[in-house]
Amino acid sequence: MLKTTTFSLALAIVGLLTVAPSSRAQRTAPSAAGLKPARTGYVPANGLNYYYEIHGRRAGGAGGAPLLVLHGGLGSVAMFEPDLAQLSKGRQVIAVDLHGHGRTALGDRTIDYIDMSNDLAAVVKQLGYDTVDVLGYSMGGGVALRLAIQHPAVVRRLVLVSTPYSPSGFYPEMIPLQAALSGAMADAMKETPMYKSYVAVAPRPQDFPRLLDQMGAWMRQSYDWSEDVKKLKGPVMLVYGDADMIRPEHIVGFYQLLGGGLKDAGWRREHMSQNRLAILPNVTHYEMAISPALVPTVVPFLDGPSGSR
């Protein structure tokens, strides 16, 4: 009973991609299971060694801009396996394991979105890119948002999936659950998919309790990036499920901070915002990365030229 409760609690806390078989059966696109990256390796950044995979070929033109994908909490690049084959058609995809996740070891620093965004700006440069599109899910969305805020020249187009700009975006009952995450849960989680996927690739599997402590410490912090959101220049797409962990009011408020949803677009689309909002039907926070609707929703936006509406 304790293990079951802990597993459910952890899902609620981090939005890790762990869904029922019936949900997996809904996937109609070809699976990327066993998809081999064109290149893998590690990039040093501010005292950490970030693991990365590159899928697909680098292509010219606006529609072929490289795409950096960032996974959710307690996940890894494997979280996007169902989507990598589709996303890498016509563009190069750079998938990175965030600090303390997957094959990127947990360092002495704390888990912090602001620090990770600075790290990723360095990673992008060292991999030879000046500008990338970015797609981030949940925790990865928070890091992607900070990357666009702190390093706007690096980000051409930004897709934020199931991402709030403040903890106030979560349903109130989620806040104490998030605050409860700690290393004390580690033993009870050892039979869960999230633990097994972590120890399968982590450089130091024994760091799992410390990672939970670090994640819990971050989730207990308060932040509000609404003023920063207003200053974003590049095109931004927000994607949520209609049964997401993020409140509908927060979703609409986020879109309005970006300048969308403030007035009618006009007969000739003369008041059309450059930013986009998508609500995927019959999708929860936990299923977003495997939803068959995700890739077809974001690709037209990513394929658009800079500044297009």
Side-chain angles (χ1 to χ4, degrees), residues 159-232:
V159 179
L160 301 176
V161 181
S162 293
T163 302
Y165 62 82
S166 164
S168 66
F170 297 111
Y171 285 102
E173 63 269 23
M174 303 304 300
I175 305 300
L177 297 180
Q178 293 173 332
L181 184 63
S182 75
M185 300 169 63
D187 283 343
M189 292 174 64
K190 286 188 175 178
E191 296 304 316
T192 64
M194 63 182 70
Y195 175 79
K196 291 179 179 179
S197 63
Y198 174 84
V199 298
V201 298
R204 296 192 300 267
Q206 65 271 23
D207 281 348
F208 189 68
R210 193 160 66 93
L211 174 60
L212 296 182
D213 279 335
Q214 290 277 14
M215 293 288 287
W218 166 256
M219 291 178 180
R220 288 188 286 275
Q221 292 187 30
S222 177
Y223 60 88
D224 184 338
W225 297 331
S226 55
E227 291 304 311
D228 292 321
V229 169
K230 294 177 185 178
K231 299 172 186 176
L232 290 174

Side-chain angles (χ1 to χ4, degrees), residues 62 65-68 91 131-135 148 152 154-160 234-237 274-276 298-309:
L67 175 64
L68 173 67
R91 64 168 47 81
T131 305
V132 294
D133 292 339
V134 186
L135 185 155
V154 174
V155 180
R156 187 193 74 120
R157 285 181 169 253
L158 176 65
V159 179
L160 301 176
V236 180
M237 183 175 205
Q274 69 171 343
N275 302 309
R276 297 287 175 266
V298 304
V299 164
F301 173 79
L302 293 170
D303 283 347
S306 296
S308 79
R309 295 186 177 185

Side-chain angles (χ1 to χ4, degrees), residues 61-80:
L67 175 64
L68 173 67
V69 296
L70 304 175
H71 60 80
L74 295 188
S76 69
V77 298
M79 182 173 282
F80 284 106

Side-chain angles (χ1 to χ4, degrees), residues 43-79:
V43 177
N46 303 317
L48 300 175
N49 282 313
Y50 279 87
Y51 173 78
Y52 72 89
E53 295 181 359
I54 293 180
H55 295 262
R57 291 185 172 185
R58 197 164 187 168
L67 175 64
L68 173 67
V69 296
L70 304 175
H71 60 80
L74 295 188
S76 69
V77 298
M79 182 173 282

Side-chain angles (χ1 to χ4, degrees), residues 91-114:
R91 64 168 47 81
Q92 205 164 56
V93 175
I94 312 145
V96 175
D97 281 342
L98 295 172
H99 178 196
H101 291 67
R103 292 173 172 83
T104 300
L106 184 63
D108 295 329
R109 290 167 23 193
T110 59
I111 296 286
D112 185 281
Y113 291 13
I114 293 173

